[in-house]
Each structure stands twice: as structure tokens, then as C-alpha cells.
Amino acid sequence: MKKIILITLLFAIIICSVNEEDKISEDSIRFRVIANSNSLEDITMKEKVVEELSEIIFTNKSRDEIKKNILNNLSTIENRIDKIFENNNYNKTYNIVYGLNEFPKKEYNGKVYDEGLYESLVIEIGDAKGNNYWCFLYPSLCMSDFENKRIEKNNIDDNNIQNKTIKFKFIELIKDIF
């Protein structure tokens, strides 16, 4: 009887510790920065924009707090992009849009994210014909086409650590049973 209760409990733990990636739904908030082109200069500028804006928009807050944070900081975002472009003698225009934006079908780590209109912050640089950085601001799940350890570091939260701890405890409990 104890084994049945323990096994039932373990399955409940597994169900409760589903990865954030699996929980992404229609209420997500996405972020996308599209480079002017795939030239080294354009891709570098895209990376600089993402890195600079990470201090402002990558937070581990609720959906409403993230939305409010973005809307309250649109002028700060513009000022930071202006400064990046000025400091790098980069003479391109850019467009910032927060709202429902079209996203193409995306695949990351074997998971497919459908195309469609999603609430998001989108920054288009120049002609916006280059590779793009994209992620989910809510729930916090960011991925990119370049390595940016600072952004990855900012996306580690207590929830992710707690989920990993639960999974390790689950393995230990299974070992104890058998």
C-alpha cells in the first residue's frame, strides 16, 4: 500500500514540475529583434541592442508587471538604441512596436511554436531582413541565435532551480523504492 501511495505521489510531482517551455500558452509575451541584414555589422548591432535592453526587459515578474515595465520604459528603450547606434556610427532607422505582432513558425529544442499574432515587443532594425533574436518574456524562456551568457544568467530564477531540485528528489525516491 505504501508503494502505491508513494508512486502516486511521485507521478503528481512529475506533473507539477513540467518545464516552463511546456507551459507556454496564448498569454505569453514575446520579444524579437530583427537585424537589418545578415552582414557582420548588422548582426553585431542586433546583439548590442539585445544585450543593452536585457537590463530593462528581462525580468522574472508576472505577465502584468512585464507588460507594465515595457510600456513604462519605451522611451528608455528608444534612448538606449539611439545611444548604441550613435556610439557605433550606425546609420540605420529602427521601429519599436508593442502589441499584437506577427511571428513566423519557430522551432527550438525540438519544440515547435506556431506562427500567428502574439503580444510582443518587436524591434525592427533598418530593412529587418536579417536573422532575429526572439524569446518569451513571459513565461521567462529566452533563446537566441548567438551566445549571450548575461541574458541566460538573467533568466535563471528560483522556480527553475526548484523544478530541478524536485526532479532530482524524484530520482532519489525512485531509487529508494527499487
Side-chain angles (χ1 to χ4, degrees):
M1 183 66 167
K2 285 183 181 180
K3 284 186 179 182
I4 293 172
I5 292 172
L6 189 54
I7 290 172
T8 304
L9 179 63
L10 293 175
F11 282 118
I13 290 172
I14 291 171
I15 291 169
C16 291
S17 65
V18 174
N19 290 332
E20 286 297 310
E21 186 174 347
D22 296 332
K23 293 181 189 176
I24 293 172
S25 65
E26 295 301 316
D27 70 340
S28 66
I29 297 177
R30 296 182 179 202
F31 174 54
R32 186 175 186 204
V33 179
I34 309 168
N36 177 59
S37 74
N38 285 332
S39 74
L40 180 59
E41 178 186 35
D42 290 339
I43 295 297
T44 300
M45 292 311 299
K46 173 195 70 176
E47 292 173 7
K48 287 178 185 272
V49 168
V50 172
E51 184 173 351
E52 181 69 25
L53 298 184
S54 69
E55 295 175 4
I56 302 170
I57 63 173
F58 291 117
T59 62
N60 291 315
K61 298 180 179 182
S62 71
R63 184 187 190 288
D64 291 338
E65 290 172 319
I66 291 169
K67 180 177 181 174
K68 184 178 176 182
N69 182 47
I70 291 169
L71 294 173
N72 288 340
N73 284 295
L74 286 173
S75 62
T76 302
I77 291 169
E78 288 177 6
N79 291 336
R80 297 250 182 126
I81 295 172
D82 287 342
K83 187 168 220 99
I84 293 167
F85 285 14
E86 181 182 321
N87 291 343
N88 291 278
N89 297 317
Y90 190 71
N91 298 316
K92 298 286 186 234
T93 59
Y94 62 89
N95 188 35
I96 300 173
V97 180
Y98 185 82
L100 290 178
N101 294 291
E102 186 70 35
F103 272 71
K105 179 178 172 182
K106 295 280 188 178
E107 184 175 340
Y108 181 73
N109 271 355
K111 178 122 173 100
V112 175
Y113 301 97
D114 292 333
E115 66 182 81
L117 288 173
Y118 294 95
E119 185 169 358
S120 54
L121 173 64
V122 175
I123 299 169
E124 299 173 323
I125 301 173
D127 294 331
K129 293 185 178 180
N131 288 343
N132 73 106
Y133 169 91
W134 73 282
C135 73
F136 293 93
L137 296 174
Y138 179 82
S140 180
L141 174 66
C142 287
M143 65 282 306
S144 71
D145 58 0
F146 66 94
E147 288 294 320
N148 190 326
K149 298 300 179 191
R150 187 165 139 205
I151 292 171
E152 291 174 10
K153 181 180 170 190
N154 286 340
N155 283 322
I156 295 174
D157 62 41
D158 293 336
N159 240 1
N160 291 337
I161 293 168
Q162 187 177 24
N163 283 343
K164 287 179 177 46
T165 303
I166 289 171
K167 289 176 186 176
F168 287 128
K169 286 185 180 183
F170 171 73
I171 292 169
E172 289 172 13
L173 288 171
I174 291 288
K175 287 180 181 176
D176 288 344
I177 292 173
F178 301 103

